Amino acid sequence: SSGINAEYGGADGLTCVWDVSLQNPLVTTFTSENGVPASCVDYVRSDPEGALIAVGYISSVIMVYNVPESRALTSLTCEPGASNDSVNSLASHPTNGTVIAGYSDKEIRIFDVNTGNLLHHMTTHIEAVTSVTIDPSGVYLATVGHDCSLRIWNIEDKSCTQEMTAHQKKHDEAILTVAFHPSQTFIATGGSDSTIKLYQ
């Protein structure tokens, strides 16, 4: 469909895809194995047909689904021995066919969507990674966590290029979300301290 699509993952284990231009907007639903709640979802932005979504679950698994065919394609799983901590956020790279996910075990993991292979994993924060986002050029990754820090990473060489304390803790939580501006050099963060901050 050529309409505006939206997707969500819920605590009921369902992921729903919507086309809001339709009178009956629900396009399809995907049910997780054993009803495991979904925690995050993103379109696979490198897919030329725009047909794929990646869904993260609290069980640490990420599933890639084909929306028009209403079927699961690939399961993206952590390295052997990893904890089964929740996938808190995921971001699809705009060009290289990877998905980067942030986990409660303080790590990010980079997966190849086409092969399902785990390409890299590393600890990025001293507490849970709560949100990840990739800049529109695909060069930089921003991560935030409950350690109150915003960190900018070079995706190619996996180096941290900048780190700053961004919010104050409140009830054991800190920064909850981060986003790059689609065309300008801004980054926005939202925290449990009831503030939204902009960085340039």
Side-chain angles (χ1 to χ4, degrees), residues 7-183:
E7 70 279 345
Y8 85 87
D12 56 3
L14 289 179
T15 300
C16 299
V17 181
W18 307 84
D19 182 339
V20 296
S21 69
L22 301 176
Q23 185 174 358
N24 296 313
L26 182 61
V27 175
T28 190
T29 61
F30 300 99
T31 303
S32 67
E33 190 172 324
N34 300 321
V36 174
S39 50
C40 51
V41 62
D42 196 11
Y43 273 94
V44 176
R45 301 185 189 284
S46 59
D47 175 37
E49 297 177 8
L52 307 181
I53 60 170
V55 181
Y57 293 95
I58 65 167
S59 62
S60 82
V61 172
I62 298 170
M63 293 297 299
V64 179
Y65 297 105
N66 183 304
V67 172
E69 297 177 8
S70 295
R71 66 185 180 94
L73 291 181
T74 311
S75 175
L76 310 178
T77 57
C78 298
E79 69 282 2
S83 61
N84 291 326
D85 285 339
S86 176
V87 185
N88 292 330
S89 178
L90 54 83
S92 172
H93 193 279
T95 60
N96 72 9
T98 62
V99 167
I100 302 177
Y103 289 75
S104 289
D105 68 356
K106 312 169 193 174
E107 295 217 354
I108 63 162
R109 292 174 175 86
I110 304 174
F111 297 93
D112 184 313
V113 172
N114 298 311
T115 66
N117 291 337
L118 173 64
L119 302 177
H120 187 75
H121 68 96
M122 64 183 187
T123 300
T124 55
H125 289 265
I126 59 173
E127 294 188 39
V129 180
T130 54
S131 186
V132 298
T133 185
I134 299 171
D135 83 298
S137 71
V139 174
Y140 296 105
L141 169 75
T143 65
V144 295
H146 288 322
D147 59 3
C148 303
S149 69
L150 162 65
R151 298 179 183 186
I152 310 298
W153 305 84
N154 180 295
I155 292 175
E156 184 174 352
D157 66 15
K158 317 298 186 294
S159 63
C160 183
T161 62
Q162 195 169 6
E163 178 184 355
M164 62 195 83
T165 300
H167 291 263
Q168 296 181 351
K169 272 205 171 203
K170 184 175 181 181
H171 305 298
D172 294 325
E173 295 186 341
I175 311 173
L176 304 175
T177 188
V178 62
F180 278 102
H181 191 281
S183 61

